[in-house]
Amino acid sequence: MEKKDLHDEVKKMEPLLKSSCRTIWENPEAGGNEKESAEYFRRILKDEGFKIVNEEHLEHAFCAEYGSGKPVIAILGEYDALPGLSQKAADRKEPVTKGAPGHGCGHNLLGSAAAVGAIAVKRYLETEKISGTVRFYGCPEEELLSGKVKMVYYHMFDGCDFAISWHPMSANMVYDSGYLASASVHFEFRGRSSHAAFAPELGRSALDAVELMNVGVNYLREHVTSKARIHYTTDSGGFAPNIVPPFAGSWYYVRAPYISDVKEILERIRKVAEGAALMTETEMEMKIDYGCCEMLENHAYGDLAYQNMKEAELPVFDEEEEAFAQRLVDTVTKADAQKAQNLYGTEGRPMTWKLNDRNLYRVNPLSASSDSGDVSHVMPMCVLSTSCWPAGVAPHTWQATAAAGCSLGEKGALSAAQVIAGIAYDLYHKPEAREAILKEFNEKKDDYTPMYEV
Ligand SMILES: [Zn+2]
């Protein structure tokens, strides 16, 4: 079987891919609740002859495995939706169910292309009878930035050699590096309740502590790396003004280019929180939920992924699809659309239709965070994207949900499945590619431990 045959195998699975994309899109489940979505993927992979393992650690996470021996290739699939982004596959904002979740990040496409890619690779291993294992990883809670961190913590990726990941986007490109490291932290202050007018001197306000802490952190901003992002909410701050709040809490996200920066900033925020507690005579408790890492860069792997994007068939959109994409573009500002079209070189068309430059990730980095970053610290990982929604449309919007629910996204997913299968093909066949990727990985890897405590 040549790589071209493997691409054809993927193409033959277009009906399965489409029905998978639609099924998950029509039943959106937000992070932590992906029961039916995980079950759907488990079932199609089981029907294909995969063995389902590693289900006991984390709800809605699993591994579907086929083959034996090395190399062991992990294909990462996600399927969580976003709260409140329910949307029809229409060109105006129109939820299917108001307030319900929706696939505004296209994880219906993400999981489906990963599963179809894994099935194609399985069929290839079966036909050729070569040494090698393919694993599809069902990864929940990506939008919470926690799923894969927990999966690493529970050693679910043990025994894997290479990871392949992709994400729907507005461009056909490869990311050698990216993702901001991030941590989610809760601060809880406990004071003493009292009548705020009758006996204020007996009260110690936990809400005062939260406010003073936020003021302190806002001064701290000036003195951390300029690429850091610190954002917070407060979810509790007392009951009524005449009761001194005995309890108040805040929830912080801290992001920076490297997890080491995040940890350093967290230590300084801890001091600010301690200072606030000291000033208000309250007790402070800091609870780190989890943190996720930046992606460990691997140019050799990026080269292999890019080569495979050249060899696969990129999505080609017909007139009707382009017209629909244009109507979505018309809902964003002209300036935003133009900026994106220039960046991706669409020559005025709404969808990116060509292969983007090898180094575009340098000017257009993945500046959000993803729990996939952690996977890249336990084995080499590549990330690619295909054109699934119009240039100028951002993920986590109703427009992206709409595109992910129609043939725009499905075409991008089909192309991604071909690239995924092609990369796996090369990893099985080209020892020199494996060695180059592993050499770079071993040179760059650090003493990583997942930032998650049960
Ligand atoms: Zn996403």
Side-chain angles (χ1 to χ4, degrees), residues 117-434:
I119 291 172
V121 174
K122 175 258 171 187
R123 291 182 184 175
Y124 168 72
L125 290 173
E126 193 176 31
T127 312
E128 297 295 311
K129 299 188 173 46
I130 57 163
S131 164
T133 305
V134 60
R135 289 178 178 177
F136 170 92
Y137 275 96
C139 307
E141 301 179 21
E142 194 284 326
E143 296 294 356
L144 306 177
L145 303 178
S146 56
K148 297 187 202 70
V149 180
K150 296 177 187 175
M151 290 169 76
V152 173
Y153 178 86
Y154 290 120
H155 295 275
M156 285 182 68
F157 295 107
D158 284 8
C160 295
D161 298 308
F162 302 93
I164 304 173
S165 72
W166 86 285
H167 201 291
M169 218 70 86
S170 300
N172 299 306
M173 60 185 284
V174 164
Y175 300 85
D176 293 28
S177 57
Y179 298 137
L180 287 174
S182 167
S184 165
V185 192
H186 281 91
F187 293 89
E188 293 179 358
F189 293 90
R190 282 182 174 75
R192 219 186 307 145
S193 170
S194 181
H195 193 299
F198 182 78
E201 69 281 8
L202 299 182
R204 297 292 181 268
S205 169
L207 181 59
D208 287 356
V210 165
E211 291 190 78
L212 287 166
M213 177 189 164
N214 291 343
V215 170
V217 171
N218 287 330
Y219 275 95
L220 178 68
R221 281 178 203 282
E222 189 190 341
H223 306 289
V224 295
T225 165
S226 59
K227 286 187 175 154
R229 301 279 181 274
I230 307 173
H231 18 270
Y232 59 81
T233 60
T234 172
D235 49 9
S236 54
F239 309 104
N242 60 353
I243 308 167
V244 174
F247 176 84
S250 58
W251 181 13
Y252 270 73
Y253 272 11
V254 177
R255 305 184 204 235
Y258 300 101
I259 194 74
S260 50
D261 299 328
V262 169
K263 287 179 179 170
E264 226 177 271
I265 294 167
L266 279 180
E267 264 322 293
R268 294 173 71 191
I269 292 181
R270 180 201 295 276
K271 288 179 187 164
V272 173
E274 283 169 355
L278 189 67
M279 281 190 277
T280 52
E281 296 184 348
T282 55
E283 299 288 326
M284 187 279 292
E285 204 182 338
M286 174 178 172
K287 291 181 183 162
I288 297 176
D289 300 326
Y290 49 79
C292 62
C293 290
E294 73 286 352
M295 180 180 162
L296 196 65
E297 66 176 14
N298 196 311
H299 301 302
Y301 209 172
D303 287 342
L304 185 77
Y306 194 72
Q307 182 56 33
N308 273 284
M309 293 208 76
K310 277 187 191 166
E311 292 165 6
E313 293 159 83
L314 294 177
V316 178
F317 303 101
D318 63 28
E319 232 171 85
E320 207 179 309
E321 288 161 339
E322 290 225 329
F324 178 71
Q326 185 57 51
R327 293 199 296 279
L328 288 178
V329 170
D330 291 341
T331 66
V332 305
T333 70
K334 253 205 173 88
D336 286 344
Q338 208 129 57
K339 207 167 109 194
Q341 287 176 3
N342 290 343
L343 178 69
Y344 301 131
T346 72
E347 295 170 19
R349 285 161 66 178
M351 297 294 290
T352 299
W353 49 274
K354 58 182 167 190
L355 179 60
N356 289 111
D357 188 79
R358 171 73 183 91
N359 287 315
L360 186 61
Y361 75 94
R362 293 185 195 274
V363 274
N364 184 41
L366 284 168
S367 53
S369 307
S370 169
D371 59 4
S372 299
D374 280 55
V375 177
S376 74
H377 288 258
V378 294
M379 66 181 128
M381 181 184 81
C382 66
V383 181
L384 58 105
S385 74
T386 59
S387 172
C388 292
W389 49 70
V393 159
H396 295 206
T397 58
W398 68 262
Q399 293 93 332
T401 313
C406 68
S407 59
L408 293 178
E410 288 156 11
K411 283 194 169 171
L414 187 70
S415 171
Q418 278 193 342
V419 182
I420 290 168
I423 294 170
Y425 181 95
D426 284 344
L427 289 172
Y428 290 127
H429 275 283
K430 294 184 174 163
E432 68 285 359
R434 291 200 300 266

